[in-house]
Amino acid sequence: MPLSGEAIRTMNYVDDIAVTLRRILAVLPTLNAEEKQRLADHFAKSEPSFESVLSAVKAK
């Protein structure tokens, strides 16, 4: 069964997120420990989180 246009667009959003995460990974070595901790805290408070979106995708 072919994917709908909405499903394809949503998969493209996931690809965009992956690009952003690669950029973050590339910058991490330049951050000091305090900056990394602040970034980790920011990730932890971010909503929706990756986990919450993944749970919603997997929900039946």
Side-chain angles (χ1 to χ4, degrees):
M1 180 170 137
L3 289 175
S4 68
E6 194 61 34
I8 292 168
R9 276 188 291 283
T10 304
M11 290 174 73
N12 287 336
Y13 295 149
V14 171
D15 292 341
D16 292 344
I17 293 166
V19 168
T20 301
L21 292 173
R22 281 193 293 275
R23 289 177 181 157
I24 292 169
L25 286 172
V27 169
L28 285 181
T30 69
L31 301 179
N32 64 40
E34 180 183 346
E35 291 170 326
K36 285 180 182 179
Q37 184 58 53
R38 289 185 70 179
L39 179 60
D41 294 342
H42 191 69
F43 265 113
K45 294 175 187 172
S46 178
E47 238 353 278
S49 67
F50 174 79
E51 290 83 10
S52 67
V53 173
L54 188 56
S55 292
V57 170
K58 289 182 176 182
K60 294 181 181 181

Coordinates of all heavy atoms in Angstrom, one line a residue:
M1 N 0.8 -1.2 0.0 CA 0.0 0.0 0.0 C 0.9 1.2 0.0 O 1.8 1.4 0.8 CB -0.9 0.0 1.3 CG -1.8 1.1 1.4 SD -3.0 0.8 2.7 CE -3.0 2.4 3.5
P2 N 0.7 2.2 -0.9 CA 1.5 3.4 -1.0 C 1.2 4.3 0.2 O 0.1 4.3 0.8 CB 1.1 4.0 -2.3 CG -0.2 3.5 -2.7 CD -0.3 2.1 -2.0
L3 N 2.2 5.1 0.6 CA 2.1 6.0 1.7 C 1.3 7.3 1.2 O 1.4 7.7 0.0 CB 3.5 6.5 2.2 CG 4.3 5.5 2.9 CD1 5.7 6.0 3.2 CD2 3.6 5.1 4.2
S4 N 0.6 7.9 2.1 CA -0.1 9.1 1.8 C 0.9 10.3 1.8 O 2.0 10.1 2.3 CB -1.2 9.4 2.9 OG -0.5 9.7 4.1
G5 N 0.5 11.3 1.2 CA 1.3 12.5 1.2 C 1.7 13.0 2.5 O 2.8 13.5 2.8
E6 N 0.7 12.9 3.5 CA 0.9 13.3 4.8 C 2.0 12.5 5.5 O 2.9 13.0 6.2 CB -0.4 13.3 5.6 CG -0.3 14.1 6.9 CD 0.0 15.5 6.8 OE1 -0.4 16.2 5.8 OE2 0.7 16.1 7.7
A7 N 2.0 11.2 5.3 CA 3.0 10.3 5.8 C 4.3 10.6 5.3 O 5.3 10.6 6.0 CB 2.6 8.8 5.6
I8 N 4.4 10.8 4.0 CA 5.7 11.2 3.4 C 6.2 12.5 4.0 O 7.4 12.6 4.3 CB 5.6 11.2 1.9 CG1 5.3 9.8 1.3 CG2 6.8 11.8 1.2 CD1 4.9 9.8 -0.1
R9 N 5.4 13.5 4.1 CA 5.8 14.8 4.7 C 6.3 14.6 6.1 O 7.3 15.2 6.5 CB 4.7 15.8 4.7 CG 4.5 16.5 3.3 CD 3.5 17.7 3.4 NE 2.1 17.1 3.6 CZ 1.4 16.6 2.6 NH1 1.9 16.6 1.4 NH2 0.2 16.2 2.8
T10 N 5.6 13.8 6.9 CA 6.0 13.5 8.2 C 7.3 12.8 8.3 O 8.2 13.1 9.2 CB 4.9 12.7 9.0 OG1 3.6 13.4 8.9 CG2 5.2 12.5 10.4
M11 N 7.6 11.9 7.4 CA 8.9 11.2 7.4 C 10.0 12.2 7.0 O 11.1 12.1 7.5 CB 8.8 10.1 6.4 CG 8.0 8.9 6.8 SD 7.8 7.6 5.6 CE 9.4 6.9 5.7
N12 N 9.7 13.2 6.2 CA 10.6 14.2 5.9 C 10.9 15.1 7.1 O 12.1 15.5 7.3 CB 10.1 15.1 4.7 CG 10.2 14.4 3.4 OD1 11.0 13.5 3.2 ND2 9.4 14.8 2.4
Y13 N 9.9 15.3 7.9 CA 10.2 16.0 9.2 C 11.1 15.2 10.1 O 12.0 15.8 10.7 CB 8.9 16.2 10.0 CG 7.8 17.1 9.4 CD1 6.5 16.9 9.6 CD2 8.2 18.2 8.5 CE1 5.5 17.7 9.0 CE2 7.3 19.0 8.0 CZ 5.9 18.8 8.2 OH 5.0 19.6 7.6
V14 N 11.0 13.9 10.1 CA 11.9 13.1 10.9 C 13.3 13.2 10.3 O 14.3 13.3 11.1 CB 11.4 11.6 10.9 CG1 12.5 10.7 11.5 CG2 10.1 11.5 11.6
D15 N 13.4 13.2 9.0 CA 14.8 13.4 8.4 C 15.3 14.8 8.8 O 16.5 14.9 9.1 CB 14.7 13.3 6.9 CG 14.3 11.9 6.4 OD1 14.5 11.0 7.2 OD2 13.9 11.8 5.2
D16 N 14.5 15.8 8.8 CA 15.0 17.1 9.3 C 15.5 17.1 10.7 O 16.5 17.7 11.1 CB 13.9 18.2 9.1 CG 13.5 18.5 7.7 OD1 14.3 18.1 6.8 OD2 12.4 19.0 7.4
I17 N 14.7 16.4 11.6 CA 15.1 16.3 13.0 C 16.5 15.6 13.0 O 17.4 16.0 13.8 CB 14.1 15.5 13.8 CG1 12.8 16.4 13.9 CG2 14.6 15.1 15.2 CD1 11.6 15.6 14.3
A18 N 16.7 14.5 12.2 CA 18.0 13.8 12.2 C 19.1 14.7 11.8 O 20.2 14.7 12.4 CB 17.9 12.6 11.3
V19 N 18.9 15.6 10.9 CA 19.9 16.5 10.4 C 20.2 17.5 11.6 O 21.4 17.7 11.9 CB 19.4 17.3 9.2 CG1 20.4 18.5 8.9 CG2 19.4 16.4 8.0
T20 N 19.2 18.0 12.3 CA 19.5 18.8 13.4 C 20.2 18.1 14.5 O 21.2 18.7 15.1 CB 18.1 19.3 14.0 OG1 17.4 20.0 12.9 CG2 18.3 20.3 15.2
L21 N 19.9 16.9 14.8 CA 20.6 16.1 15.8 C 22.1 15.9 15.4 O 23.0 16.0 16.3 CB 19.9 14.8 16.1 CG 18.6 14.9 16.8 CD1 17.9 13.6 16.9 CD2 18.7 15.5 18.2
R22 N 22.4 15.7 14.2 CA 23.7 15.5 13.7 C 24.5 16.8 13.9 O 25.7 16.8 14.3 CB 23.8 15.1 12.2 CG 23.6 13.6 12.0 CD 23.9 13.2 10.6 NE 23.1 13.7 9.6 CZ 21.9 13.2 9.2 NH1 21.4 12.1 9.8 NH2 21.2 13.8 8.3
R23 N 23.8 18.0 13.7 CA 24.5 19.3 13.9 C 24.8 19.4 15.4 O 25.9 20.0 15.8 CB 23.6 20.4 13.4 CG 23.5 20.5 11.9 CD 22.5 21.5 11.5 NE 22.4 21.6 10.0 CZ 21.4 22.1 9.4 NH1 20.4 22.6 10.0 NH2 21.4 22.0 8.0
I24 N 23.9 19.0 16.2 CA 24.1 19.1 17.7 C 25.3 18.3 18.1 O 26.2 18.7 18.8 CB 22.8 18.8 18.5 CG1 21.8 19.8 18.3 CG2 23.1 18.5 20.0 CD1 20.4 19.4 18.8
L25 N 25.3 17.0 17.6 CA 26.5 16.1 17.9 C 27.8 16.7 17.4 O 28.8 16.6 18.1 CB 26.2 14.8 17.2 CG 25.2 13.9 17.9 CD1 24.9 12.7 17.0 CD2 25.6 13.5 19.3
A26 N 27.8 17.4 16.3 CA 29.0 18.0 15.7 C 29.5 19.2 16.6 O 30.7 19.4 16.7 CB 28.8 18.6 14.3
V27 N 28.6 19.9 17.3 CA 29.0 21.0 18.2 C 29.4 20.5 19.6 O 30.2 21.2 20.2 CB 27.8 22.0 18.3 CG1 28.0 23.0 19.3 CG2 27.5 22.6 16.9
L28 N 28.9 19.4 20.0 CA 29.2 18.9 21.4 C 30.6 19.0 21.8 O 30.9 19.4 22.9 CB 28.6 17.5 21.6 CG 27.1 17.4 21.8 CD1 26.7 16.0 22.0 CD2 26.6 18.3 22.9
P29 N 31.6 18.6 21.0 CA 33.0 18.6 21.4 C 33.5 20.0 21.7 O 34.5 20.2 22.4 CB 33.7 18.0 20.2 CG 32.7 17.2 19.5 CD 31.4 17.9 19.7
T30 N 32.8 21.0 21.2 CA 33.3 22.4 21.5 C 32.7 23.0 22.7 O 33.1 24.1 23.2 CB 32.9 23.3 20.3 OG1 31.5 23.5 20.2 CG2 33.4 22.8 19.0
L31 N 31.7 22.3 23.4 CA 31.1 22.8 24.6 C 31.9 22.4 25.8 O 32.4 21.3 25.9 CB 29.7 22.3 24.7 CG 28.7 22.7 23.5 CD1 27.3 22.2 23.8 CD2 28.7 24.2 23.3
N32 N 31.9 23.2 26.8 CA 32.5 22.8 28.1 C 31.5 22.1 28.9 O 30.3 21.9 28.5 CB 33.1 24.1 28.8 CG 32.0 25.0 29.2 OD1 30.9 24.7 29.7 ND2 32.3 26.3 29.1
A33 N 31.9 21.6 30.1 CA 31.0 20.7 30.9 C 29.8 21.4 31.3 O 28.7 20.9 31.3 CB 31.8 20.2 32.1
E34 N 29.9 22.7 31.7 CA 28.7 23.5 32.2 C 27.7 23.7 31.0 O 26.5 23.5 31.2 CB 29.1 24.8 32.7 CG 28.0 25.7 33.2 CD 28.4 27.1 33.6 OE1 29.6 27.3 33.8 OE2 27.5 27.9 33.8
E35 N 28.2 24.0 29.8 CA 27.3 24.1 28.7 C 26.7 22.8 28.3 O 25.5 22.8 28.0 CB 28.1 24.7 27.5 CG 28.6 26.1 27.7 CD 29.6 26.5 26.6 OE1 30.4 25.7 26.1 OE2 29.6 27.7 26.3
K36 N 27.4 21.7 28.4 CA 26.8 20.4 28.1 C 25.7 20.1 29.1 O 24.6 19.6 28.8 CB 27.8 19.3 28.1 CG 28.7 19.3 26.9 CD 29.7 18.2 27.0 CE 30.7 18.3 25.8 NZ 31.7 17.2 25.8
Q37 N 25.9 20.4 30.4 CA 24.9 20.2 31.4 C 23.7 21.0 31.2 O 22.5 20.5 31.3 CB 25.5 20.5 32.8 CG 24.5 20.1 33.9 CD 24.0 18.7 33.9 OE1 24.8 17.8 33.9 NE2 22.7 18.5 33.8
R38 N 23.9 22.3 30.8 CA 22.7 23.2 30.5 C 21.9 22.6 29.3 O 20.7 22.7 29.3 CB 23.2 24.6 30.3 CG 23.6 25.2 31.7 CD 24.0 26.7 31.5 NE 22.8 27.4 31.3 CZ 22.8 28.8 31.2 NH1 23.9 29.4 31.3 NH2 21.6 29.4 30.9
L39 N 22.6 22.2 28.3 CA 22.0 21.6 27.1 C 21.2 20.3 27.5 O 20.1 20.1 27.1 CB 23.0 21.2 26.1 CG 22.5 20.6 24.8 CD1 21.5 21.5 24.1 CD2 23.7 20.3 23.9
A40 N 21.8 19.5 28.4 CA 21.1 18.3 28.8 C 19.9 18.6 29.6 O 18.8 18.0 29.4 CB 22.1 17.4 29.7
D41 N 19.9 19.6 30.4 CA 18.7 20.1 31.2 C 17.7 20.6 30.2 O 16.5 20.4 30.4 CB 19.1 21.2 32.2 CG 20.0 20.7 33.3 OD1 20.1 19.5 33.5 OD2 20.6 21.6 33.9
H42 N 18.1 21.3 29.2 CA 17.2 21.9 28.2 C 16.5 20.7 27.5 O 15.3 20.8 27.2 CB 17.9 22.8 27.2 CG 17.0 23.6 26.4 ND1 16.2 24.6 26.8 CD2 16.8 23.6 25.0 CE1 15.6 25.2 25.8 NE2 15.9 24.5 24.7
F43 N 17.3 19.7 27.1 CA 16.7 18.6 26.4 C 15.6 17.9 27.3 O 14.6 17.5 26.9 CB 17.8 17.5 26.1 CG 18.3 17.6 24.7 CD1 19.6 18.0 24.4 CD2 17.5 17.3 23.6 CE1 20.1 18.1 23.2 CE2 18.0 17.4 22.3 CZ 19.3 17.8 22.1
A44 N 16.0 17.7 28.6 CA 15.1 17.0 29.5 C 13.8 17.8 29.7 O 12.7 17.1 29.9 CB 15.8 16.9 30.9
K45 N 13.8 19.1 29.6 CA 12.6 19.9 29.8 C 11.8 20.1 28.5 O 10.7 20.6 28.6 CB 12.9 21.2 30.4 CG 13.5 21.1 31.8 CD 14.0 22.5 32.3 CE 14.7 22.3 33.7 NZ 15.3 23.6 34.1
S46 N 12.4 19.8 27.4 CA 11.8 20.0 26.1 C 10.5 19.2 26.0 O 10.4 18.0 26.3 CB 12.7 19.6 25.0 OG 12.1 19.8 23.7
E47 N 9.4 19.8 25.5 CA 8.2 19.1 25.3 C 7.6 19.6 23.9 O 7.6 20.8 23.7 CB 7.2 19.5 26.4 CG 6.6 18.4 27.3 CD 6.8 17.0 26.9 OE1 6.0 16.5 26.1 OE2 7.6 16.3 27.5
P48 N 7.2 18.7 23.1 CA 7.1 17.3 23.4 C 8.6 16.7 23.3 O 9.4 17.2 22.5 CB 6.2 16.7 22.3 CG 6.4 17.7 21.2 CD 6.6 19.0 21.8
S49 N 8.8 15.6 24.0 CA 10.1 15.0 23.9 C 10.1 13.9 22.8 O 9.0 13.5 22.3 CB 10.4 14.3 25.3 OG 9.5 13.2 25.4
F50 N 11.3 13.5 22.4 CA 11.3 12.4 21.4 C 10.6 11.2 21.9 O 9.8 10.6 21.1 CB 12.8 12.1 21.2 CG 13.0 10.9 20.2 CD1 12.9 11.1 18.9 CD2 13.2 9.6 20.8 CE1 13.0 10.0 18.0 CE2 13.4 8.6 19.9 CZ 13.3 8.7 18.5
E51 N 10.7 10.9 23.2 CA 10.1 9.7 23.7 C 8.5 9.8 23.6 O 7.9 8.8 23.3 CB 10.5 9.4 25.1 CG 11.9 8.9 25.3 CD 13.0 10.1 25.3 OE1 12.6 11.3 25.4 OE2 14.1 9.8 25.1
S52 N 8.0 11.0 23.9 CA 6.6 11.2 23.9 C 6.0 11.1 22.5 O 4.9 10.5 22.3 CB 6.1 12.5 24.6 OG 6.6 13.6 23.9
V53 N 6.7 11.6 21.5 CA 6.3 11.5 20.1 C 6.4 10.0 19.7 O 5.5 9.5 19.0 CB 7.1 12.4 19.2 CG1 6.8 12.2 17.8 CG2 6.9 13.9 19.6
L54 N 7.5 9.4 20.0 CA 7.6 8.0 19.6 C 6.5 7.1 20.2 O 6.0 6.2 19.6 CB 9.0 7.4 20.0 CG 9.4 6.1 19.5 CD1 9.3 6.0 18.0 CD2 10.8 5.7 20.0
S55 N 6.2 7.4 21.5 CA 5.1 6.6 22.1 C 3.8 6.9 21.4 O 3.0 5.9 21.2 CB 4.9 7.1 23.6 OG 6.1 6.7 24.3
A56 N 3.5 8.1 21.0 CA 2.3 8.4 20.2 C 2.3 7.7 18.9 O 1.2 7.2 18.4 CB 2.2 9.9 20.0
V57 N 3.4 7.6 18.2 CA 3.5 6.9 16.9 C 3.2 5.4 17.1 O 2.5 4.8 16.3 CB 4.9 7.1 16.3 CG1 5.1 6.2 15.1 CG2 5.1 8.6 15.9
K58 N 3.7 4.9 18.2 CA 3.6 3.4 18.4 C 2.2 3.0 19.0 O 1.8 1.9 19.0 CB 4.6 2.9 19.4 CG 6.0 2.9 18.8 CD 7.0 2.4 19.8 CE 8.4 2.2 19.2 NZ 9.4 1.7 20.2
A59 N 1.4 4.0 19.5 CA 0.1 3.8 20.1 C -0.8 3.2 19.1 O -0.8 3.6 17.9 CB -0.5 5.0 20.7
K60 N -1.6 2.3 19.5 CA -2.6 1.6 18.6 C -3.9 2.3 18.5 O -4.4 3.0 19.2 CB -2.7 0.2 19.0 CG -1.5 -0.6 18.9 CD -1.7 -2.0 19.2 CE -0.3 -2.8 19.1 NZ -0.3 -4.1 19.4

